[in-house]
Amino acid sequence: PKMKEDNCLHAALICLGMLYYSHAITTDKLNHARPSLHGHHEKGKEGQVLHRSKRGWVWNQFFVIEEYTGPDPVLVGRLHSDIDSGDGNIKYILSGEGAGIIFVIDDKSGNIHATKTLDREERAQYTLTAQAVDRNTNRPLEPPSEFIVKVQDINDNPPEFLHENYHANVPERSNVGTSVIQVTASDADDPTYGNSAKLVYSILEGQPYFSVEAQTGIIRTALPNMDREAKEEYHVVIQAKDMGGHMGGLSGTTKVTITLTDVNDNPPKFPQSVYQMSVSEAAVPGEEVGRVKAKDPDIGENGLVAYSIIDGDGMDMFEITTDYETQEGVVKLKKLLDFETKKSYSLKVEAANVHIDPKFISNGPFKDTVTVKISVEDADEPPVFLKPSYIFEVQENAASGTVVGKVHAKDPDAANSAIRYSIDRHTDLERYFTINAEDGNIKTIKALDREEIAWHNISVFAVEVHKQHQEAKVPVAIKVVDVNDNAPKFAAAYEAFVCENARSNQKFITISADDRDDSANGPRFIFSLPPEIIHNPNFTLRDNRDNTASVLVRREGFSRQKQDLYLLPIVISDGGLPPMSSTNTLTIRVCGCDSNGSMVSCNAEAYMLNAGLSTGALVAILACIVILLVIVVLFVTLKRQKKEPLIVFEEEDVRENIITYDDEGGGEEDTEAFDIATLQNPDGINGFIPRKDIKPEYQYMPRPGLRPAPNSVDVDDFINTRIQEADNDPTAPPYDSIQIYGYEGRGSVAGSLSSLESATTDSDLDYDYLQNWGPRFKKLADLYGSKDTFDDDS
C-alpha cells in the first residue's frame, strides 16, 4: 500500500509540473498577444526589465490540483502590476471566496498560495479579486480585477453503485441475452477531465450463467435453458472501474441476487402406476375411500393439478375431487356398495395441469394416468326390510287377534342370520297391536274405533338373533276401515220457538244431522216422525232431501198459559249398510210475538206480573235486606272489640318479679335490654360457669341460722335471705328471676344503683316517697312505705 501511495504522489507531482509548465507557456503566449497585460514579472536576456507600453493587471485563470498533501503551501500563481518598480511601495490585496483562509497573497511579490488541501468534489472553483494599493496611503493604484482559481481533478473517488444489493427475477429457460436488470454506478470525479469518471462494468461472479454490458451495466443471461427446478437462485457480483477500466483505476462492486421464476415446463407424474384401496360396504355416499397424488415440480398455478376419472367399471360408484391445498385427488364413494353383489372395482384416474404454457406445449402432454383398484370389504350389515314402508288395513271393531299384515326382513350378509321382530312401543302406547317375533305377522290386541283413531302409525324393529346390535326399523301405517256403527244425531242442540199467533204450515226451524262414520256410511240422512206420532196435531216434519229437514206448525192458536213447552221426537236414519237410526228430541217453546212475528217474550210468568210486585222491586227489596244485615254484623263486631289497658293491675307475688340491676342501663322497666347468655357471671372468673338453663343436680343446704321466711315475715328480711342463698350457691338456677347484667369487675367505685340492699350491706332507707309516684308504684309503696306501721301491728 505504501508503494502505491508513493507512486500516486510521484504521478501527481509530475502532473503538477506539467501543468505548471503548460501554464507558463500559456501565460507567455497571452502576454505577447495582449500588450496591456503581463504574466509574471519577466527579465530579458541581458537582465533588463521589459515593460508594456500600457500598465494594467496580468489576468488569467489559475489552476490548483486537489488533494495536495505536501509540506509547503501550493503556489497557485503570481500577480504583478506594471507600475510596480520593485521598491516595495505597492501593496497587493486579495479578497473574495476563500481569501485569507484558503488563499493567501504575498503583499510585496504578489505570489498566491493555497494553504489548505482542496477537494474538487466539494468545490470546483473559487472567484477572487486582486487590487494594488499604495502601501503608505492605501490609495488604489489600479482598479480591482477578478480572476478564477479552478481546482484540478485527480482520480480520488472510486465508483459507487446506487444500491449495495440488487434483486432481480428472470423466467427459467429464457433465451440467451435476455435482459435481467441494469445496475448503475456513479463516480464523483470530474467527467470532463481525463478518465477519472469513465466507468467500465465487468462481472466478477456469476459466470457462465450471466454477463454484463461494459458500458451500460445491463446484466443478461448467458446460458440457455436454465432450469429453476435444478437451481433457483444465483448470486452475481458486478464491478464498476474508472479510468476506462485501465490499470490504476479505482473500482466498486455490488451484489445482485437473481431468482429464476417458474414456468410450466414440467407435466404432472404419478410416482406409481397402480393404487390399491379398500372400502367397507357399510360406507355411506360421500365417504372418503383414498387419495392419489401426481407430483409436479412446478410451483404456483403452474403446479396446479386437476384429477378426473376417465375409465373403469367403478365410474358410477365412485367419484374423485381435487384438494387444491394438498394437490391430491380424493376418491369418494358415490353410491352404496354391496359386497355380496360386487367385491372389487377398477378406476382409471387422470391428473392434468390446469394452466398450460403454449411456449412449452412441445414438451409433451401435461397429464398422466394411473390405475386405482378398490376392493369392497364385507361388513356386518343390519337386516333389510323388503319394503321401505308398509301400509295395511283393518276393519274397526274387528275381534282381538285379527291379522293386520305381515312385514318381512332378511340378513343381507352371507350368514343369513335368523330375524326377530318387535314393535316400538313408543309408537303404540295404547298397545293396540302385537307382532309375531318369528314371522312378522301383525295382529290386533283389542278392538279399534275409527272415530277415535283413523290411522295408526307404528314402527317395527328387525334384529338378528345372534347379533342384537344389528337392527333395522321400518314404518308401518295401519288404516282403520270404517263400518256403520254410529247413528246420526242432531248437528247441534236445537231449541225451537213458535209464536202464539203462528199460522198453519208455517216453518219455524230447519234442522240437520251429523254422523261420526265415514261418508260412505253417513249421508244421505232421512228425517221422519215416529210412527206413533206421525199424525201429531201440533207439528209436522218435512224432509228437504238435502240432509236437512224443516219443522212446520200444523195448527193455529198456541197459548203459553195452557202449554208453553213441547217435545217433538224426530227419527234420523243414515244410508249405511246396515242403516243406523236414532231418535232425537226437539224442544219447542211457545213465545209471545208482535204483529210482525217478532218474538217479544217466552216466559209464562209474564201474565202474572200485574198481580204482584215486579222483578225490579223484588231485587231492590233483597238488596236492602242484605245491606241491613251487613250493618248489623259490623256493629256487633265493633262492640266486641275493646281496647286492652297498657298496664294490667293484678294481684301477684312480688317476690317472683324482683329484678337486680348492676349496670347503668335502661331503668327499672328495662328487663329485656341485654342478651343474658352472652354476659359474664362473676363466679365464672374462677373457671366455673353455672348452667342456668337446667335444674342443678344438687342443692346447697341452707346455711345454719337461715330458714325460709314465713308469709308474715318482713319483706326486707325475706329478700336478704334469698340474696344470701343466691350468693352462697353458685349452681342455683334463677327461679327468683335474679339476673346479672354487664359485670364490670369487683370493687367498683361507682357502687350499686339498686334500691335493694345486698347481703353484705346494712342500710335503712325511707320509702315513703313511693306514695307520690302514682298508682303504678302503689304495690311497692304498700310494701315499703308502711314498714313502721307493719312493725307496730305485729
Side-chain angles (χ1 to χ4, degrees):
K2 186 175 181 180
M3 293 179 63
K4 291 182 178 180
E5 292 179 359
D6 293 339
N7 293 333
C8 293
L9 180 59
H10 293 163
L13 292 175
I14 294 172
C15 292
L16 181 61
M18 294 176 64
L19 290 172
Y20 187 80
Y21 179 75
S22 173
H23 172 66
I25 295 175
T26 304
T27 305
D28 184 66
K29 291 180 178 179
L30 186 61
N31 290 339
H32 286 284
R34 299 177 61 185
S36 61
L37 296 175
H38 290 281
H40 299 284
H41 188 250
E42 298 179 355
K43 296 182 178 180
K45 294 181 180 179
E46 296 79 13
Q48 296 179 352
V49 178
L50 300 177
H51 297 282
R52 297 289 183 184
S53 59
K54 184 177 182 180
R55 288 177 295 178
W57 280 102
V58 176
W59 179 92
N60 206 339
Q61 181 171 274
F62 296 101
F63 295 88
V64 60
I65 193 168
E66 67 171 337
E67 305 294 346
Y68 175 74
T69 58
D72 299 327
V74 179
L75 178 62
V76 178
R78 180 182 179 188
L79 299 178
H80 186 73
S81 175
D82 292 342
I83 64 173
D84 186 1
S85 60
D87 54 3
N89 292 327
I90 296 178
K91 179 180 179 181
Y92 295 97
I93 299 175
L94 187 65
S95 62
E97 298 173 346
I101 300 175
I102 299 176
F103 302 101
V104 295
I105 189 170
D106 188 344
D107 60 353
K108 292 181 179 181
S109 63
N111 291 334
I112 301 174
H113 292 82
T115 61
K116 292 185 178 182
T117 301
L118 302 180
D119 189 355
R120 190 202 65 83
E121 285 70 38
E122 292 183 1
R123 188 157 190 170
Q125 65 180 20
Y126 298 84
T127 301
L128 299 173
T129 302
Q131 190 173 18
V133 298
D134 187 274
R135 184 176 297 275
N136 296 321
T137 62
N138 285 332
R139 180 177 59 84
L141 300 178
E142 294 287 344
S145 178
E146 285 187 355
F147 64 95
I148 296 175
V149 178
K150 286 191 175 182
V151 182
Q152 191 169 8
D153 182 50
I154 64 173
N155 189 19
D156 59 341
N157 291 281
E160 293 184 358
F161 285 92
L162 299 180
H163 303 285
E164 184 177 355
N165 293 288
Y166 289 84
H167 295 273
N169 298 322
V170 62
E172 63 173 332
R173 300 189 181 277
S174 296
N175 297 327
V176 175
T178 301
S179 175
V180 179
I181 189 175
Q182 183 178 13
V183 295
T184 303
S186 61
D187 195 321
D189 292 326
D190 189 0
T192 63
Y193 179 77
N195 294 325
S196 298
K198 185 177 181 181
L199 304 182
V200 174
Y201 299 93
S202 62
I203 184 168
L204 300 183
E205 295 181 16
Q207 295 174 333
Y209 305 103
F210 300 94
S211 62
V212 62
E213 292 184 357
Q215 305 301 323
T216 61
I218 297 176
I219 300 174
R220 299 182 183 275
T221 58
L223 283 181
N225 298 324
M226 285 191 292
D227 192 1
R228 184 198 66 84
E229 289 73 31
K231 186 176 181 180
E232 183 176 4
E233 193 172 82
Y234 295 85
H235 298 282
V236 178
V237 177
I238 301 298
Q239 175 184 267
K241 191 173 183 181
D242 58 13
M243 300 298 293
H246 297 295
M247 184 179 297
L250 303 179
S251 63
T253 60
T254 186
K255 294 181 180 180
V256 182
T257 301
I258 301 176
T259 302
L260 297 183
T261 58
D262 185 61
V263 297
N264 191 8
D265 58 340
N266 295 283
K269 187 72 176 178
F270 283 104
Q272 59 196 68
S273 59
V274 178
Y275 284 86
Q276 297 287 345
M277 299 180 184
S278 61
V279 61
S280 173
E281 64 172 335
V284 297
E287 185 173 334
E288 181 178 328
V289 177
R291 292 186 174 221
V292 297
K293 184 175 183 179
K295 295 183 179 180
D296 190 333
D298 296 323
I299 60 175
E301 67 176 14
N302 297 317
L304 294 180
V305 179
Y307 298 87
S308 60
I309 299 175
I310 60 175
D311 197 7
D313 58 359
M315 294 184 64
D316 295 334
M317 305 300 295
F318 300 92
E319 63 182 355
I320 190 168
T321 59
T322 303
D323 186 346
Y324 286 102
E325 292 185 0
T326 61
Q327 290 298 301
E328 293 177 320
V330 183
V331 180
K332 294 182 179 180
L333 184 62
K334 191 175 181 181
K335 295 181 180 180
L336 291 174
L337 301 174
D338 187 5
F339 174 80
E340 290 72 24
T341 303
K342 190 174 178 61
K343 297 180 176 58
S344 65
Y345 294 89
S346 178
L347 301 175
K348 188 174 183 180
V349 176
E350 180 184 79
N353 279 135
V354 177
H355 302 282
I356 299 176
D357 193 338
K359 296 179 181 179
F360 305 100
I361 195 68
S362 60
N363 289 6
F366 284 82
K367 56 187 176 180
D368 193 16
T369 58
V370 71
T371 300
V372 179
K373 293 184 177 181
I374 303 174
S375 59
V376 181
E377 297 177 348
D378 189 19
D380 188 8
E381 299 177 89
V384 178
F385 283 94
L386 299 184
K387 296 181 180 180
S389 62
Y390 291 86
I391 299 178
F392 300 126
E393 292 184 355
V394 62
Q395 284 192 344
E396 65 173 328
N397 301 325
S400 176
T402 302
V403 176
V404 177
K406 181 179 180 179
V407 296
H408 183 68
K410 66 176 183 178
D411 183 9
D413 298 325
N416 195 19
S417 300
I419 306 298
R420 296 186 65 87
Y421 304 92
S422 62
I423 294 177
D424 183 2
R425 289 304 172 187
H426 292 91
T427 61
D428 186 25
L429 297 176
E430 300 295 331
R431 294 184 176 269
Y432 288 106
F433 306 96
T434 183
I435 189 170
N436 189 306
E438 304 295 335
D439 58 13
N441 277 321
I442 301 175
K443 298 180 181 180
T444 60
I445 298 178
K446 52 186 176 182
L448 306 178
D449 189 358
R450 190 204 66 85
E451 287 70 41
E452 292 183 0
I453 304 176
W455 283 87
H456 293 267
N457 296 300
I458 64 174
S459 296
V460 175
F461 289 113
V463 297
E464 296 182 16
V465 174
H466 301 293
K467 299 175 182 178
Q468 298 293 329
H469 64 282
Q470 294 290 358
E471 67 176 15
K473 186 177 181 180
V474 67
V476 178
I478 301 174
K479 178 181 179 181
V480 181
V481 181
D482 183 51
V483 297
N484 194 20
D485 58 346
N486 291 280
K489 298 179 180 179
F490 277 155
Y494 292 108
E495 186 176 6
F497 302 92
V498 64
C499 294
E500 290 180 312
N501 55 358
R503 299 186 302 274
S504 178
N505 292 327
Q506 179 180 349
K507 180 181 72 173
F508 59 90
I509 188 172
T510 300
I511 59 176
S512 62
D514 188 16
D515 195 331
R516 296 181 61 193
D517 291 325
D518 196 3
S519 58
N521 294 314
R524 120 171 152 84
F525 298 123
I526 301 173
F527 298 86
S528 62
L529 295 177
E532 60 271 15
I533 62 168
I534 193 170
H535 300 292
N536 186 296
N538 299 314
F539 306 100
T540 184
L541 182 68
R542 183 175 64 196
D543 192 342
N544 297 326
R545 299 183 181 277
D546 59 355
N547 297 323
T548 63
S550 300
V551 183
L552 295 84
V553 177
R554 175 169 285 186
R555 66 177 180 86
E556 298 179 355
F558 290 94
S559 175
R560 283 180 290 170
Q561 292 180 344
K562 293 180 179 180
Q563 185 175 352
D564 63 340
L565 183 66
Y566 293 89
L567 300 178
L568 179 64
I570 299 175
V571 178
I572 307 175
S573 301
D574 59 19
L577 291 174
M580 299 288 292
S581 63
S582 65
T583 302
N584 301 265
T585 302
L586 177 64
T587 302
I588 304 173
R589 294 185 179 275
V590 179
C591 300
C593 302
D594 57 13
S595 58
N596 296 325
S598 300
M599 188 183 306
V600 177
S601 174
C602 294
N603 297 324
E605 296 83 0
Y607 292 98
M608 301 173 61
L609 294 179
N610 295 330
L613 295 175
S614 64
T615 302
L618 292 175
V619 173
I621 293 173
L622 291 176
C624 293
I625 293 173
V626 171
I627 293 173
L628 290 175
L629 289 175
V630 172
I631 293 174
V632 171
V633 171
L634 291 175
F635 180 77
V636 172
T637 303
L638 293 175
K639 290 292 290 183
R640 289 184 178 181
Q641 291 182 352
K642 295 182 179 180
K643 188 175 183 181
E644 296 294 336
L646 295 177
I647 299 177
V648 179
F649 296 96
E650 295 181 358
E651 293 296 331
E652 57 185 9
D653 191 355
V654 180
R655 293 172 296 179
E656 300 299 326
N657 294 279
I658 298 176
I659 308 301
T660 301
Y661 293 90
D662 289 336
D663 65 342
E664 302 176 4
E668 294 181 354
E669 294 182 0
D670 186 8
T671 61
E672 297 178 358
F674 300 93
D675 185 2
I676 303 174
T678 60
L679 300 179
Q680 184 182 15
N681 192 307
D683 297 306
I685 299 176
N686 298 326
F688 177 77
I689 300 177
R691 295 284 301 274
K692 294 185 179 182
D693 57 343
I694 61 175
K695 185 175 182 180
E697 296 180 358
Y698 62 91
Q699 296 278 355
Y700 278 100
M701 296 300 294
R703 295 179 59 188
L706 298 176
R707 56 182 179 81
N711 294 334
S712 61
V713 78
D714 186 22
V715 175
D716 191 16
D717 295 336
F718 170 78
I719 294 175
N720 291 334
T721 301
R722 290 300 181 91
I723 292 176
Q724 290 178 1
E725 292 177 358
D727 290 342
N728 292 285
D729 185 7
T731 62
Y735 294 132
D736 54 358
S737 300
I738 296 177
Q739 302 178 19
I740 299 173
Y741 290 89
Y743 178 70
E744 299 178 356
R746 300 183 184 275
S748 175
V749 298
S752 176
L753 298 178
S754 174
S755 61
L756 302 179
E757 299 180 58
S758 65
T760 59
T761 59
D762 187 12
S763 62
D764 188 9
L765 299 178
D766 185 7
Y767 299 102
D768 290 340
Y769 61 87
L770 295 176
Q771 298 289 344
N772 301 325
W773 283 16
R776 295 179 60 187
F777 299 90
K778 184 176 182 301
K779 182 65 68 177
L780 288 176
D782 293 342
L783 291 174
Y784 291 92
S786 59
K787 179 178 179 182
D788 296 338
T789 306
F790 183 81
D791 292 340
D792 294 341
D793 294 339
S794 62

